Amino acid sequence: MIIQRVVLNSRPGKNGNPVAENFRIEEVNLPDNINEGQVQVRTLYLSVDPYMRCRMNEDTGSDYITPWQLSQVVDGGGIGIVEESKHVHFTKGDFVTSFFWPWQTKVILNGNSLEKVDPQLANGHLSYFLGAIDESEQPYHPVWSDFSVQQRCALSSSTTPCCRSNPKRKKHHKIKETVVNGLENMGVAFQSMMTGGNIGKQIVCISEETSL
């Protein structure tokens, strides 16, 4: 099966400003079969977050944030629907989420890395599951460009999904998000997020098709 994925095309430099061209989209073959304990999932939404800027550097400046590798698929928070399962806890049609979701149209994941999402909430409260925390009318970090990359890492590390407690434990009274469509626009969304072009959480919709 041919799918699309986003890889890190180039690094912007330690304190350089990321641009859409730092990422590229390519087609790869997804294996036809999955192994025991795995699930095949169609990606619905992907999250773009400030902490990811650190991952564009060879040295992220943190022991708990791993760098993205050149020409390798990028990953982050995501949500999708299970198309095939060989894991005891998941069945076809389940909505699932992970903070380490490859930026691909379809993925094969270890079921142990996934968490189920209530199907009644999967669309209406997507940001809740992708770690939305910004309830203001302002961009995620309105003065983001005033800080160095390392300062940005320090500011965002306490709010990044992979570095804080489960977002389900937090109460969100208002959820604001900026949504763009298409895997091919991941780089555009990333650049926009880094320059304050979003209000609230930056989300990219990969597919709205939830029927199987």
Side-chain angles (χ1 to χ4, degrees):
M1 180 190 307
I2 301 298
I3 64 163
Q4 291 184 316
R5 70 176 187 176
V6 174
V7 301
L8 184 64
N9 187 50
S10 60
R11 300 187 191 276
K14 185 175 181 180
N15 288 301
N17 294 320
V19 294
E21 290 74 24
N22 291 136
F23 303 91
R24 76 171 184 269
I25 193 167
E26 61 183 24
E27 292 187 342
V28 294
N29 185 58
L30 192 72
D32 293 328
N33 299 309
I34 62 176
N35 299 321
E36 289 298 323
Q38 292 183 326
V39 295
Q40 178 181 305
V41 189
R42 181 169 71 247
T43 305
L44 299 179
Y45 298 94
L46 295 171
S47 174
V48 178
D49 299 283
Y51 83 94
M52 293 176 170
R53 173 60 186 86
C54 309
R55 302 191 69 186
M56 299 183 79
N57 292 344
E58 290 186 84
D59 179 6
T60 66
S62 171
D63 293 336
Y64 52 83
I65 299 179
T66 58
W68 289 328
Q69 299 301 315
L70 288 173
S71 298
Q72 297 299 309
V73 66
V74 176
D75 69 322
I79 190 170
I81 185 170
V82 174
E83 294 185 323
E84 182 181 354
S85 174
K86 287 189 177 180
H87 191 282
V88 64
H89 293 149
F90 300 100
T91 60
K92 185 176 180 179
D94 283 345
F95 289 95
V96 292
T97 185
S98 171
F99 290 141
F100 305 97
W101 197 289
W103 287 8
Q104 299 181 179
T105 50
K106 294 188 179 186
V107 296
I108 293 176
L109 297 169
N110 186 319
N112 293 333
S113 68
L114 298 172
E115 179 182 353
K116 282 188 181 181
V117 174
D118 185 334
Q120 298 301 315
L121 301 177
N123 292 319
H125 298 280
L126 173 66
S127 291
Y128 184 82
F129 292 96
L130 292 183
I133 60 168
D134 192 335
E135 298 178 358
S136 71
E137 297 275 351
Q138 301 300 318
Y140 201 86
H141 282 291
V143 291
W144 202 242
S145 60
D146 294 340
F147 298 95
S148 69
V149 169
Q150 296 304 320
Q151 288 172 319
R152 296 174 196 177
C153 291
L155 285 171
S156 63
S157 62
S158 63
T159 61
T160 177
C162 66
C163 302
R164 68 169 187 273
S165 60
N166 192 320
K168 284 188 174 181
R169 298 175 186 175
K170 297 182 178 292
K171 295 181 180 179
H172 301 303
H173 302 292
K174 292 186 296 182
I175 297 175
K176 294 186 180 297
E177 59 189 33
T178 299
V179 181
V180 299
N181 294 314
L183 188 74
E184 68 277 9
N185 289 317
M186 292 298 298
V188 173
F190 192 94
Q191 181 177 349
S192 177
M193 178 270 299
M194 291 299 299
T195 55
N198 59 302
I199 294 178
K201 187 72 171 178
Q202 179 67 66
I203 303 292
V204 178
C205 175
I206 309 304
S207 173
E208 293 181 304
E209 181 57 59
T210 57
S211 62
L212 295 173

